[in-house]
Amino acid sequence: SQTIHQWPATLVQPVGSPLSLECTVEGTSNPNLYWYRQAAGRGLQLLFYSVGIGQISSEVPQNLSASRPQDRQFILSSKKLLLSDSGFYLCAWIRGRGTEAFFGQGTRLTVV
Amino acid sequence: TQLLEQSPQFLSIQEGENLTVYCNSSSVFSSLQWYRQEPGEGPVLLVTVVTGGEVKKLKRLTFQFGDARKDSSLHITAAQPGDTGLYLCAGAPYSGAGSYQLTFGKGTKLSVIP
C-alpha cells in the first residue's frame, strides 16, 4: 500500500529564516505530488504540484518554492519566511489524473 | 475556475441527532470525494462517488452524488462524538489542463456534543 511521509510535524521559525519541508511517498512510482496550505482548519489552498521529476507547477505567486529532485520526493522551500507564511502545510499524493488524494500528517508552521 | 461550496460551514449538534452537509457547484465533476480531518492531522478519504445519482453507505454515513454530477451530500445518522471533525468535499475535473488537480470545498466543521 502507498504511504506518504511528511516532516517535521511542527516548526517554529523566525521571520526571515529559510524553510525546507520534505515529503516522500512509498509504494508507488511516478506519483503526482501536491503541496497545500490550510488556514485555521478550513479549506485547502493548492500551492504547487508536480507530475514528474523536475516538473513544478505553481498555483499561487508567493514567497515559497517547490522542487522535485527524485521521483518520490517533494520539497517545499522558502529563502526568507514571512509572518503570513504561517499555516498548516499538507503534502498529498493524488492517484491518477485528479482522483483520490492521500495526505501526509501535515506540518504546523509558525513564523514568529 | 471550478468552485465547490460547502454548507453549513459550522454545525454543532447533540449526540444521537441526524445531520446533512452539502457540497454544491455549478461545474460538472468526473468524481467527487469526501474527506474527514481531525485537528493537527491530514484529511483522510472517506468515500469516492463516480456515477450520477450514486449512493454509498459507510456505516452511519450516507453519501450521494447528484444526478447532474454537480453536487453531493453527506448524511450522518445518530451522530456520535467520534464524528467530530472537519468534513471536506473535493471534485475531480474531466480531462484538460486542470485534470491533475482536485477542487476542494472549504469544509464543514462538525461538533457532536455528548
Side-chain angles (χ1 to χ4, degrees):
Chain A
S1 63
Q2 303 83 9
T3 55
I4 183 164
H5 301 281
Q6 183 182 343
W7 66 91
T10 59
L11 193 58
V12 180
Q13 292 283 97
V15 169
S17 64
L19 173 74
S20 181
L21 301 181
E22 189 163 343
C23 172
T24 59
V25 180
E26 295 178 358
T28 186
S29 59
N30 196 29
N32 297 329
L33 297 175
Y34 300 74
W35 280 110
Y36 291 90
R37 179 168 57 202
Q38 185 176 35
R42 300 299 288 152
L44 304 179
Q45 179 189 31
L46 178 62
L47 302 176
F48 301 94
Y49 71 94
S50 171
V51 299
I53 296 174
Q55 301 180 59
I56 306 295
S57 295
S58 174
E59 290 299 305
V60 182
Q62 58 207 326
N63 186 41
L64 302 169
S65 62
S67 61
R68 178 101 175 248
Q70 300 180 39
D71 181 45
R72 287 175 281 183
Q73 184 184 30
F74 201 23
I75 298 172
L76 182 69
S77 304
S78 174
K79 292 183 179 179
K80 290 185 177 181
L81 284 169
L82 305 173
L83 287 174
S84 58
D85 292 324
S86 293
F88 191 55
Y89 290 82
L90 288 159
C91 179
W93 165 67
I94 295 183
R95 190 203 310 270
R97 295 175 69 94
T99 55
E100 295 106 341
F102 299 90
F103 290 87
Q105 67 172 13
T107 297
R108 171 69 61 192
L109 172 66
T110 304
V111 183
V112 297
Chain B
T1 301
Q2 296 180 310
L3 294 175
L4 277 168
E5 299 289 339
Q6 285 190 245
S7 61
Q9 292 184 41
F10 301 94
L11 189 56
S12 182
I13 62 171
Q14 293 292 129
E15 182 177 359
E17 292 183 350
N18 301 332
L19 67 113
T20 302
V21 297
Y22 301 92
C23 178
N24 296 297
S25 177
S26 59
S27 302
V28 178
F29 294 96
S30 63
S31 68
L32 198 141
Q33 300 99 49
W34 285 92
Y35 298 81
R36 179 168 163 268
Q37 184 180 21
E38 298 194 22
E41 299 182 8
V44 176
L45 179 68
L46 295 174
V47 76
T48 299
V49 285
V50 179
T51 306
E54 181 178 5
V55 176
K56 281 191 174 180
K57 292 191 176 183
L58 186 64
K59 296 183 180 178
R60 293 176 293 101
L61 278 60
T62 302
F63 305 85
Q64 185 164 8
F65 200 12
D67 291 340
R69 307 162 75 100
K70 294 182 179 181
D71 53 80
S72 181
S73 64
L74 159 60
H75 181 79
I76 301 179
T77 303
Q80 299 178 2
D83 296 327
T84 294
L86 180 69
Y87 288 83
L88 294 160
C89 66
Y94 282 94
S95 60
S99 61
Y100 289 102
Q101 304 176 25
L102 286 174
T103 297
F104 280 88
K106 292 187 177 181
T108 293
K109 193 167 186 179
L110 172 65
S111 297
V112 181
I113 303 166

